[in-house]
């Protein structure tokens, strides 16, 4: 396939690009290179990179030259940032998704929107299905839910070959260190405090990034237009258990754990039922403990990737967020 991968310089997008190149696809990446998008994530890969926003019709038209399908990862993705500064979330998720949908409609292209379990809100027991109501709780998840509804409308109204793929919490190589797992791994490696929100009992349904990438590929190739597919990981774990495992794998000290004021409106538990994508032949392959160990090893072995981040603007962000400096 000749794919346009929007947001392909970010965490999940760049892992997806790697998987698809190995499978023989030709790839163009359209990415605005925000703080989370990095050329380094695509280093040594044979892709055409167009630097621009998905909300810019000119950049989208340029990037789409010669492509026959679009997979859209481009997003602002950090819930804490959506609480502090929601405007970029509205621009990218609403205007950006609209601009891509219009371009796909003009050219009759297949379109996959990458979305999140967070659009369903929190669930105490059981798992969300694709029929569950959308009850997002943060500006991040609310704007992602809005984008999903717009995508569905383009199928319903214009017959666009559009599909939606909702993933659970991803982890793995190339994830920006503001997110729970790389944050804790790098802090543990440096002897910095490990800031745990509230009581640390927020449960997440962890999926290894390559499993999610293969799920998106399955939906792209075999999904039914107009349908939503949940792609959830094989294991659930509360944040505190994740941090404890990271302490074990890095050999850090338990005393680094520091309980900090919980995030406002913090969802308690996410859980996705993935039967529908399983019926297309997808299965998660990586269990959480094995994937987490692999991830810790990757951060240990790829200092050159995270060192410029940890010594750059990220330090100021961290200090604002947690009220203390990184060591
Ligand atoms: N990380 C997770 O756990 C998770 C889980 C489920 C779904 N998702 C979804 O997967 C997608 C990718 O998430 P991620 O964790 O890789 O995020 P990320 O923050 O690592 O990467 C986002 C990428 O999008 C780019 N981008 C942002 N705004 C843009 C714009 N206006 N135009 C073009 N590019 C833009 C950034 O430069 C970056 O490369 C998102 O849509 C997210 O909602 C993430």
């Amino acid at each position: 396939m000749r794919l346009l991968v929007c947001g392909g310089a970010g965490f999940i997008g760049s892992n997806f690009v790697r998987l698809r190149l190995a499978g023989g696809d030709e790839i163009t990446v359209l990415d605005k290179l925000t703080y989370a998008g990095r050329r380094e994530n695509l280093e040594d890969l044979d892709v055409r990179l167009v630097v621009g926003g998905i909300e810019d019709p000119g950049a989208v038209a340029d990037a789409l030259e010669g492509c026959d399908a679009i997979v859209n990862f481009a997003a602002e993705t950090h819930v804490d940032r959506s609480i502090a500064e929601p405007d970029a979330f509205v621009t990218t998720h609403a205007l950006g998704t609209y601009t891509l949908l219009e371009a796909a409609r003009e050219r009759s292209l297949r379109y996959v929107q990458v979305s999140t379990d967070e659009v369903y809100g929190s669930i105490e027991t059981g798992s969300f299905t694709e029929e569950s109501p959308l009850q997002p709780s943060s500006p991040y998840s609310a704007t992602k839910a809005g984008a999903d509804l717009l995508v569905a409308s383009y199928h319903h109204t214009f017959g666009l070959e559009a599909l939606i793929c909702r993933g659970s919490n991803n982890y793995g190589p190339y994830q920006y260190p503001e997110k729970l797992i790389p944050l804790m791994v790098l802090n543990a490696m440096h002897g910095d405090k490990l800031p745990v929100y509230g009581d640390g009992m927020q449960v997440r349904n962890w999926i290894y990034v390559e499993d999610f990438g293969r799920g998106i590929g399955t939906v792209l190739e075999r999904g039914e237009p107009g349908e939503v597919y949940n792609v959830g990981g094989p294991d659930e774990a509360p944040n505190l258990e994740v941090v404890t495992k990271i302490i074990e794998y890095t050999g850090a000290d338990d005393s680094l754990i520091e309980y900090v004021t919980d995030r406002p409106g913090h969802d308690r538990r996410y859980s996705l039922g993935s039967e529908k994508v399983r019926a297309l032949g997808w299965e998660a392959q990586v269990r959480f403990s094995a994937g987490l160990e692999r991830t810790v090893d990757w951060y240990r072995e790829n200092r050159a990737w995270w060192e410029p981040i940890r010594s750059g603007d990220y330090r100021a962000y961290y200090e604002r967020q947690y009220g203390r400096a990184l060591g």
Side-chain angles (χ1 to χ4, degrees):
M1 277 176 141
R2 294 175 305 172
L3 287 182
L4 174 63
V5 180
C6 303
F11 162 49
I12 308 177
S14 63
N15 277 284
F16 178 77
V17 166
R18 248 181 214 91
L19 273 177
R20 299 300 300 192
L21 284 173
D25 285 344
E26 249 176 65
I27 299 202
T28 301
V29 167
L30 172 62
D31 199 296
K32 202 173 179 172
L33 300 182
T34 66
Y35 74 95
R38 300 179 74 211
R39 286 177 193 275
E40 291 88 328
N41 294 357
L42 300 171
E43 228 165 44
D44 305 330
L45 299 181
D46 183 18
V47 294
R48 180 167 86 100
L49 171 65
V50 176
V51 179
I54 57 168
E55 65 279 13
D56 173 355
V60 170
D62 173 15
L64 266 176
E65 197 81 14
C67 294
D68 34 45
I70 302 175
V71 183
N72 181 28
F73 292 88
E76 291 290 335
T77 58
H78 194 39
V79 175
D80 289 339
R81 290 186 194 251
S82 84
I83 295 167
E85 293 171 89
D87 48 346
F89 291 72
V90 177
T91 305
T92 294
H93 303 172
L95 186 58
T97 304
Y98 158 75
T99 308
L100 288 178
L101 288 168
E102 276 296 307
R105 178 160 86 100
E106 277 166 23
R107 296 163 180 79
S108 300
L109 301 177
R110 192 166 169 95
Y111 180 96
V112 175
Q113 176 78 358
V114 179
S115 184
T116 162
D117 56 1
E118 299 197 27
V119 297
Y120 297 119
S122 193
I123 189 166
E124 269 183 38
T125 54
S127 299
F128 289 118
T129 71
E130 291 80 357
E131 310 305 321
S132 301
L134 301 187
Q135 291 186 312
S137 356
S138 69
Y140 163 65
S141 51
T143 49
K144 287 294 289 184
D148 285 8
L149 294 176
L150 196 60
V151 171
S153 81
Y154 268 64
H155 172 74
H156 189 80
T157 309
F158 304 117
L160 183 73
E161 238 183 86
L163 305 95
I164 297 169
C165 195
R166 295 187 179 132
S168 58
N169 273 61
N170 277 239
Y171 67 101
Y174 300 97
Q175 188 168 29
Y176 194 81
E178 67 191 351
K179 303 285 167 56
L180 181 78
I181 288 180
L183 168 86
M184 297 298 173
V185 172
L186 294 182
N187 279 19
M189 281 166 58
H190 288 82
D192 282 321
K193 289 284 182 194
L194 306 176
V196 172
Y197 280 141
D199 61 1
M201 294 313 288
Q202 305 85 358
V203 174
R204 301 294 180 257
N205 180 191
W206 293 100
I207 186 166
Y208 192 66
V209 66
E210 283 176 14
D211 275 338
F212 188 38
R214 288 187 305 95
I216 296 165
T218 303
V219 169
L220 172 68
E221 286 162 17
R222 301 200 283 282
E224 191 65 38
E227 294 294 317
V228 174
Y229 295 88
N230 290 342
V231 182
D235 297 295
E236 294 182 15
N239 289 346
L240 191 56
E241 187 184 316
V242 175
V243 175
T244 308
K245 277 184 195 284
I246 290 172
I247 288 176
E248 185 193 323
Y249 297 157
T250 53
D253 201 285
D254 280 350
S255 63
L256 290 180
I257 293 181
E258 180 180 59
Y259 292 93
V260 299
T261 309
D262 207 355
R263 167 191 285 167
H266 207 171
D267 286 333
R268 256 340 241 184
R269 177 172 174 264
Y270 300 132
S271 178
L272 280 184
S274 310
E275 285 70 23
K276 198 167 157 184
V277 71
R278 274 207 194 96
L280 297 179
W282 174 87
E283 272 306 331
Q285 292 176 1
V286 183
R287 298 300 299 264
F288 185 56
S289 295
L292 187 58
E293 255 189 290
R294 209 192 282 184
T295 304
V296 170
D297 287 345
W298 187 86
Y299 281 93
R300 236 191 229 124
E301 288 157 14
N302 287 276
R303 224 186 161 81
W305 183 84
W306 53 257
E307 230 160 25
I309 300 177
R310 221 173 178 269
S311 59
D313 294 348
Y314 174 70
R315 296 188 76 78
Y317 157 80
Y318 187 91
E319 207 166 328
R320 271 199 311 280
Q321 191 62 31
Y322 297 106
R324 67 156 69 231
L326 282 171

